[in-house]
Amino acid sequence: MARRTKVADARPDTGARDGARRIYMIGNAHIDPVWLWHWPEGYAEVRATFRSALDRMNEYDEFVFTMDQIVFLAWIEEHDPDMFAEIAERVRQGRWELAGGMWVEPDCNLPSGEAFARHTLYSQRYLHSRFRQIATVGLNADPFGHNAMLPQLLAKSGMDSYLFLRPQVHELTLPDGAFRWFAPDGSSVLAARIPNEYCTSAREVNYQVVKSLAQLPTTDRPLVCFYGVGNHGGGPTKVNIESIREMARRDGTPPLAAATARSYFDAAAGDPLTASFTGELQMHAVGCYSAQSEVKRNNRRCENALRSAEKWATLASRLAPLPDARAELEHAWKQVLFNQFHDILPGSSLPEAYSDARDTHGEAAAIAARVTNRSVQSIARQIDTSAGGPSERGVAGSVPVVVFNPHAFPVSETLEMEFGAFPGPAQVHDARGNPVTVQQIRSESVTSRRRYALRAELPPLGYTTLRFSPATGPDQQAAQPPADLVLDNGILRATIDPATGWLSSLVELASGTELVPGTPGPHAVVLDDPTDTWSHGVRSYREVAGTFRPESVVRVDAGPVRNSVRVTSRYRESTLVEEIRLDAGAQYLDVAVTVNWQQQLQALKLRFPAALDDTVATHEIPYGHLVRPAEGQEVPSHSWVDVTGRAGGAEFGLALINDSKYSFDVDGAEIGMMVLRSPAYAWHDPAVLEPGVPYRFQDQGIQRMRYRLLPHAGGWQTAGVPAAGAVLNEPVTAVLDSNHPGTLPLERSFGRVRSDSVMLTVIKPGEDDPDTVVVRAYETAGTAGTAEFDLPLLGRTVTAEFGACEIKTLVLPADPVAGVTEVNLLEWADETPDSAAGRPESDGATGHADGSESAVATADSAASGSDASSSDASASDASDSADDASPAG
């Protein structure tokens, strides 16, 4: 349980009588920094709202204020230091409650697991540096659902409790009052659903109290009620507070307490009858899983690019001096975190908000690209690529290409390279001098540059060097592609039907299993979607308006590396191009999609039926997975969805892996992936679209994505589905190099995780000491076990025990003899750091949910290479700058 800062409520009952049914009145001001307005308007409203809250404190001794969304404090700090000092004093007095512990109130389904970790890492450390306390109550009042891993993410971020509003009582039945919410690993927090609403009008709050009581049980358990003007800010008003005073004096009214969220949960924690709930809190506003495709694609791209950049910056700095990238990357992460706000990432804001998001995502992506480039180039320049090495084979005019794998497992992936080093066909040799099959494919340019495809075998968390040189034989692409529409690489055989533009057969050749049903339904389905931006009240999309029909089905590539068919289809004014590829050595069918969408109030869903019986549907969620009913409901998922069942009496499955989508349904053995929706922007039911008004509709024009179909014998756990999702989403990086001497070999691995199910996701410098290395990993399959982290560059081999679905964070000191410490997501070994030094305590490890200590063993291995007068209130981290606060930088 998180260590708490005790807060005393000021005059909690104001004349109320003793009674069993005490109501904790939480004064708050929910602020959407972006929704129907730009962020600068939200920025101004934060200051106005906080000024109002401070004024109410001067006028009413009993008034206490609860705030979340830590970026708001950063905004005040950067432009109004006097107000910031005033807030700090009220925090010290216990009248300004710091809750939430996240940068904004994010959408709680769509961000990655690591993004949630960064929300709490940066926010909680910010709070501690300024106020010497952290949030112990999680608060996400307005998001549209809450993923099943949140209890673990919260518990490992110093929070033991959680307040939320949605799903509401008509959307999900939950235990009355506070209940214990469990994550799949056994972690839990005490949670409570806010009754009725999180905000009120500026007038009397009687209606809010009555409506809240109607949703709460008749019991002597503590009850909670929120009040204060919200959405565009405002906070509690004089009339609000006076009406609470007046209600507290009435006979028959339960005692009313001007309270903090902390005091409510402290009271609720003593109830021995607390019920429990395990799983996700859904569902509300399913349209937000797919609305505004661009912001979702950019979010996924930035999350993965930043993780890769951190890995390479950390590893490269161990080989040569490089600038400390922590401040750059933290700023980039904060841009991404701000865009995960629950009216930006879900697609429910006005159109101009997405111009702002595009700019700030671009800034984050550019930072990640710069950090990655200087890091991998720093490594590449130390490789001995001089002429005469084994990979050159004595061929003059050769060009080295260094390919970097960010994953702690070997990767076999098709690499595409385009350059103009020589005018004709190429030959390629690997780091050992062996020939690598290469094929010329269509260039992205209409100039003289050439594009090549080859299958690269990459060591874990490392690099290999390939050498391109002019080929002496004929151009591999000279022959005309065959007319048939069968793709066969010896692992899979796919047959495309020209009448439908989709698969008529997909066979896994080792077992002879056919994955396509005898009478498959349509693949590219257009749905009528008259729902608002959020799709309020919708659970699934069923109204089929039509299907895309093929206009052209042609063989594009036929060679030793890639065979592909391009299908061009049309529905009314819209076109869909799917380039279906089967590469040599690939276990999956790869599809590149380009859509030119011109429809309004309609949606595009791609459907993938599988010839399987008795299926179980499993979905990736943030840092975990979840089995859900295969009943056709629209649900939020991340990079993969799997159906596993029986085929020919044996266990068999099909995984759908994607690079940018979040909205899926599984109906029996058929997976549906929502590609896009086109409601009007910021259209909220019950508003009606007026005829003749030139509304702006979402997802118009060109959009691109990739997905893969991965058939597998046995379960998804043994088929490496999570790893396949990671490879598509966090791709390898290729660097065109030159011939030069160096001290590094042509191929090297910097680390590897030996485990059937543990995936390493993060390698970064420590927040407190850049010479330490932080490693984060999670268990992907729901099975407890041991993982060995072999990290030769850091001179370590670390063995750690993982519980099922556990997220684990380890700090590795620079001294390879020093012990490894397991820490929480805030990089503290204890719930809070030593208040004197602001450093983590190092005398213990966190435990499993069952109370047992977690085991982390290390073995040495041979390395191969406020109050203005209060210093507590005004303290700041050197890594935090004013640039981090404003979303536009």
Side-chain angles (χ1 to χ4, degrees):
M1 182 171 291
R3 183 182 299 162
R4 305 175 190 142
T5 299
K6 289 297 183 182
V7 176
D9 294 337
R11 293 180 58 198
D13 288 328
T14 317
R17 299 144 311 287
D18 289 337
R21 206 178 188 201
R22 184 175 180 181
I23 304 176
Y24 288 72
M25 301 295 296
I26 310 298
N28 80 111
H30 178 71
I31 302 174
D32 292 329
V34 175
W35 181 26
L36 307 180
W37 44 84
H38 283 285
W39 70 264
E41 187 174 339
Y43 188 103
E45 186 54 44
V46 166
R47 185 186 181 282
T49 298
F50 285 7
R51 180 71 268 157
S52 175
L54 292 166
D55 289 345
R56 300 294 82 75
M57 289 179 187
N58 293 331
E59 296 160 353
Y60 298 92
D61 290 343
E62 75 270 26
F63 175 62
V64 290
F65 182 69
T66 295
M67 69 146 288
D68 63 345
Q69 307 198 84
I70 308 310
V71 68
F72 295 164
L73 290 169
W75 285 355
I76 296 298
E77 184 183 26
E78 76 176 356
H79 85 281
D80 194 338
D82 291 339
M83 178 182 284
F84 190 82
E86 193 175 352
I87 291 171
E89 173 60 17
R90 293 303 191 182
V91 170
R92 188 188 65 79
Q93 295 171 357
R95 297 186 63 191
W96 188 291
E97 181 181 26
L98 303 171
M102 297 190 186
W103 200 238
V104 293
E105 279 192 15
D107 179 273
C108 290
N109 284 313
L110 308 183
S112 66
E114 186 55 29
F116 282 108
R118 298 311 170 102
H119 273 286
T120 58
L121 172 71
Y122 298 134
S123 300
Q124 295 281 52
R125 294 179 73 96
Y126 177 92
L127 292 178
H128 187 267
S129 70
R130 272 63 170 183
F131 307 107
R132 284 300 184 262
Q133 62 176 268
I134 63 172
T136 60
V137 176
L139 172 57
N140 279 310
D142 204 17
F144 312 137
H146 308 265
N147 75 80
M149 292 297 289
L150 263 181
Q152 183 179 178
L153 292 162
L154 292 164
K156 291 193 171 184
S157 300
M159 288 173 273
D160 61 9
S161 44
Y162 191 59
L163 280 165
F164 64 96
L165 175 70
R166 301 185 178 95
Q168 292 180 292
V169 292
H170 63 284
E171 294 166 323
L172 179 67
T173 300
L174 290 171
D176 292 328
F179 61 93
R180 188 146 293 281
W181 183 24
F182 285 90
D185 75 310
S187 299
S188 70
V189 293
L190 196 59
R193 177 161 51 193
I194 300 166
N196 192 46
E197 260 296 351
Y198 54 73
C199 61
T200 61
S201 73
R203 298 184 294 275
E204 297 171 341
V205 300
N206 307 46
Y207 178 82
Q208 171 77 344
V209 172
V210 170
K211 292 289 288 185
S212 296
L213 284 172
Q215 291 187 5
L216 293 168
T218 302
T219 177
D220 58 359
R221 299 177 64 194
L223 307 176
V224 67
C225 180
F226 273 50
Y227 74 98
V229 180
N231 288 337
H232 200 271
T237 67
K238 294 180 181 180
V239 177
N240 288 166
I241 299 169
E242 292 286 355
S243 69
I244 293 172
R245 284 183 167 184
E246 191 276 329
M247 289 187 74
R249 289 190 288 267
R250 294 181 189 172
D251 290 336
T253 302
L256 303 180
T260 60
R262 177 74 269 157
S263 63
Y264 164 71
F265 280 114
D266 284 344
D271 184 355
L273 302 177
T274 299
S276 65
F277 182 88
T278 300
E280 59 186 342
L281 302 176
Q282 309 289 10
M283 64 183 39
H284 177 91
V286 303
C288 288
Y289 311 152
S290 54
Q292 231 296 323
S293 294
E294 182 186 36
V295 75
K296 292 174 169 61
R297 178 179 179 84
N298 288 339
N299 174 75
R300 179 87 64 87
R301 180 169 65 101
C302 287
E303 288 176 335
N304 287 290
L306 287 169
R307 286 208 309 267
S308 271
E310 285 179 332
K311 290 175 188 174
W312 294 124
T314 305
L315 295 171
S317 68
R318 267 48 188 180
L319 296 170
L322 280 177
D324 186 350
R326 289 183 301 163
E328 288 177 271
L329 292 170
E330 179 175 335
H331 175 71
W333 268 113
K334 285 178 177 176
Q335 301 292 66
V336 175
L337 301 181
F338 185 84
N339 283 331
Q340 290 175 346
F341 178 71
H342 60 259
D343 278 315
I344 300 176
L345 184 55
S348 50
S349 286
L350 77 169
E352 290 77 6
Y354 295 103
S355 295
D356 295 338
R358 187 181 304 116
D359 291 344
T360 48
H361 273 142
E363 181 186 15
I367 291 170
R370 287 197 299 269
V371 171
T372 297
N373 181 66
R374 73 180 179 225
S375 301
V376 297
Q377 295 269 12
S378 172
I379 296 171
R381 70 175 175 80
Q382 299 175 71
I383 301 171
D384 184 5
T385 60
S386 54
S391 67
E392 188 176 7
R393 294 282 188 179
V395 178
S398 63
V399 177
V401 174
V402 185
V403 188
F404 292 84
N405 171 23
H407 304 287
F409 50 84
V411 167
S412 177
E413 181 74 344
T414 300
L415 177 69
E416 295 185 22
M417 284 292 299
E418 181 163 323
F419 54 91
F422 33 84
Q427 61 181 351
V428 179
H429 292 87
D430 67 16
R432 296 171 180 79
N434 300 315
V436 177
T437 304
V438 63
Q439 175 182 339
Q440 185 177 331
I441 59 176
R442 182 176 60 85
S443 172
E444 296 294 314
S445 169
V446 294
T447 61
S448 59
R449 291 173 67 86
R450 290 194 170 215
R451 191 172 190 88
Y452 304 95
L454 67 150
R455 196 73 178 175
E457 305 296 327
L458 304 173
L461 197 63
Y463 66 84
T464 193
T465 306
L466 305 172
R467 191 171 289 276
F468 282 69
S469 57
T472 56
D475 192 333
Q476 300 95 322
Q477 194 69 349
Q480 286 293 323
D484 70 79
L485 301 176
V486 178
L487 309 177
D488 189 330
N489 69 351
I491 300 170
L492 301 176
R493 183 175 65 242
T495 305
I496 292 88
D497 182 354
T500 64
W502 187 237
L503 302 178
S504 60
S505 175
L506 178 61
V507 178
E508 198 272 336
L509 295 173
S511 64
T513 302
E514 170 64 72
L515 267 296
V516 177
T519 56
H523 168 60
V525 179
V526 178
L527 302 165
D528 278 331
D529 178 22
T531 64
D532 68 5
T533 311
W534 290 256
S535 289
H536 282 109
V538 172
R539 291 296 179 98
S540 60
Y541 299 91
R542 298 289 186 181
E543 299 300 321
V544 176
T547 60
F548 276 83
R549 300 293 184 183
E551 292 187 330
S552 171
V553 182
V554 296
R555 188 70 172 261
V556 178
D557 295 301
V561 176
R562 170 164 294 169
N563 282 265
S564 63
V565 171
R566 183 186 301 122
V567 180
T568 303
S569 304
R570 177 175 294 277
Y571 173 80
R572 296 183 180 175
E573 298 85 5
S574 300
T575 57
L576 169 68
V577 179
E578 291 185 282
E579 191 163 299
I580 305 166
R581 304 164 177 168
L582 185 56
D583 294 341
Q587 311 263 338
Y588 51 78
L589 198 67
D590 187 85
V591 184
V593 179
T594 303
V595 184
N596 185 351
W597 184 251
Q598 300 297 326
Q599 312 310 124
Q600 298 171 355
L601 302 181
Q602 291 186 316
L604 170 60
K605 177 163 282 195
L606 300 182
R607 305 212 66 89
F608 305 92
L612 299 171
D613 299 319
D614 304 322
T615 53
V616 174
T618 308
H619 303 249
E620 186 187 35
I621 62 173
Y623 269 154
H625 67 275
L626 196 65
V627 173
R628 293 181 172 126
E631 298 173 349
Q633 287 191 338
E634 203 73 14
V635 295
S637 304
H638 282 234
S639 69
W640 58 268
V641 176
D642 181 86
V643 289
T644 295
R646 311 290 295 181
E651 186 179 34
F652 210 90
L654 177 68
L656 171 64
I657 299 163
N658 77 92
D659 71 351
S660 56
K661 301 302 172 184
Y662 295 91
S663 188
F664 298 83
D665 77 275
V666 180
D667 193 351
E670 181 174 272
I671 304 173
M673 176 171 64
M674 188 72 85
V675 176
L676 51 82
R677 292 178 58 236
S678 53
Y681 277 92
W683 170 29
H684 196 297
D685 183 72
V688 176
L689 300 183
E690 299 179 14
V693 176
Y695 296 104
R696 294 174 67 178
F697 292 86
Q698 294 191 356
D699 285 354
Q700 303 296 287
I702 301 290
Q703 298 182 52
R704 293 181 173 86
M705 67 164 297
R706 283 178 69 189
Y707 66 84
R708 290 175 173 175
L709 291 175
L710 174 61
H712 56 85
W716 61 266
Q717 298 91 333
T718 57
V721 170
V727 170
L728 179 61
N729 282 269
E730 194 176 343
V732 302
T733 299
V735 174
L736 183 65
D737 204 5
S738 59
N739 297 310
H740 52 72
T743 58
L744 294 179
L746 292 172
E747 182 172 277
R748 183 172 177 183
S749 169
F750 297 126
R752 181 170 188 165
V753 177
R754 301 183 190 279
S755 167
D756 292 334
S757 63
V758 171
M759 183 178 296
L760 185 149
T761 57
V762 171
I763 300 176
K764 65 183 285 293
E767 293 295 309
D768 294 303
D769 182 357
D771 291 330
T772 64
V773 173
V774 172
V775 173
R776 184 151 38 249
Y778 77 105
E779 198 284 315
T780 65
T783 305
T786 301
E788 182 181 274
F789 297 79
D790 185 13
L791 302 167
L793 185 62
L794 305 178
R796 290 184 181 273
T797 296
V798 180
T799 301
E801 299 295 328
F802 279 75
C805 305
E806 183 183 8
I807 307 162
K808 194 179 287 289
T809 306
L810 307 175
V811 173
L812 285 58
D815 180 358
V817 179
V820 172
T821 303
E822 183 179 351
V823 296
N824 62 15
L825 294 176
L826 311 182
E827 299 182 19
W828 296 335
D830 199 2
E831 288 103 341
T832 56
D834 176 30
S835 60
R839 294 286 194 137
E841 299 169 359
S842 57
D843 57 354
T846 59
H848 293 304
D850 62 5
S852 62
E853 291 187 358
S854 58
V856 180
T858 68
D860 295 336
S861 61
S864 57
S866 99
D867 185 331
S869 64
S870 169
S871 60
D872 282 357
S874 60
S876 64
D877 289 336
S879 63
D880 290 326
S881 66
D883 283 351
D884 294 332
S886 300

